[in-house]
Amino acid sequence: MSQLEALPIAPVRVVFLGDSHVAYGEWSEWLPEVSPLNRGIPGATVFHVSAFAKTLDLSRTTTVVLEVGTNDLLFHTPAEIVSAYRELLRQLRSAMGDSAENRIIICTLPGVNNRVRWTGIDEAQVVELNERLKALAGGGGVEVFDLATVVATGDGALPARLTDDGVHLHGEGYQKWVTALAPHLRRGTTFAD
């Protein structure tokens, strides 16, 4: 995190922000035409990302892709996490400015697989948190990208073929994520379009 805090954010259109799911994505190679910046932090919670985001100059960023919350489920209830998310969204909107073209895309959690390896996270809590995250969309430039549906089954269980450790995605999972998300980043369309 200290390295990322020291690095300036050049005027980029798209910033990926979040936990290890973001950190381990090769976004600039998957999406070279939008030149995204990766500001993912392994092990981060919503609370960490909120503190970290205060160090970022997002004034020239038009899109923040946000994926965080899995680590939070080890310590907090879905209701507590969503409360922290609301504050993070307020903070990001303020940092990005009031332009109508600015957007924050919340990605739902991809899930976990406790059969591949015990994660300590209840799959039902993943489902509950994802439902609560979906309710945050609608207005203020906040949209939800349903990553859980793209890479999983919606029941909180990440398919075994997409993970080695029960939490992190394989390349196939990232490819599915990018394939579904990329058209909206390239054209700037909303997920309702």
Side-chain angles (χ1 to χ4, degrees):
M1 186 183 308
S2 62
Q3 290 182 71
L4 295 178
E5 287 174 344
L7 292 169
I9 291 188
V12 295
R13 201 172 67 111
V14 178
V15 173
F16 280 77
L17 182 62
D19 58 23
S20 57
H21 292 293
V22 170
Y24 301 153
E26 299 295 341
W27 307 111
S28 61
E29 292 187 53
W30 284 113
L31 299 161
E33 64 282 0
V34 296
S35 302
L37 192 61
N38 186 338
R39 287 298 181 261
I41 305 161
T45 65
V46 176
F47 303 93
H48 292 120
V49 170
S50 185
F52 173 57
K54 291 176 184 173
T55 70
L56 304 176
D57 177 4
L58 298 173
S59 61
R60 291 185 242 163
T61 300
T62 58
T63 303
V64 171
V65 179
L66 183 62
E67 196 291 331
V68 61
T70 301
N71 299 310
D72 297 80
L73 286 171
L74 293 168
F75 309 104
H76 303 284
T77 67
E80 291 169 330
I81 298 165
V82 168
S83 178
Y85 246 99
R86 281 191 191 95
E87 176 56 26
L88 174 58
L89 293 174
R90 185 203 58 73
Q91 178 185 334
L92 291 173
R93 282 193 296 258
S94 175
M96 293 172 73
D98 291 332
S99 173
E101 71 180 43
N102 290 349
R103 56 202 289 229
I104 300 168
I105 300 170
I106 300 171
C107 297
T108 61
L109 306 184
V112 295
N113 190 314
N114 288 308
R115 290 166 300 289
V116 170
R117 191 192 75 170
W118 178 248
T119 66
I121 297 170
D122 182 348
E123 294 165 354
Q125 283 198 307
V126 173
V127 172
E128 181 183 344
L129 179 54
N130 282 345
E131 290 305 313
R132 289 174 180 265
L133 291 176
K134 290 175 189 175
L136 292 176
V142 178
E143 303 170 42
V144 172
F145 173 75
D146 196 357
L147 178 58
T149 299
V150 170
V151 299
T153 62
D155 63 358
L158 183 61
R161 74 176 194 284
L162 297 180
T163 185
D164 282 332
D165 63 6
V167 175
H168 300 101
L169 297 171
H170 282 177
E172 180 186 349
Y174 280 100
Q175 188 170 22
K176 288 175 176 289
W177 188 351
V178 170
T179 299
L181 180 64
H184 301 284
L185 296 178
R186 291 180 186 127
R187 292 193 310 267
T189 60
T190 67
F191 297 101
D193 293 343

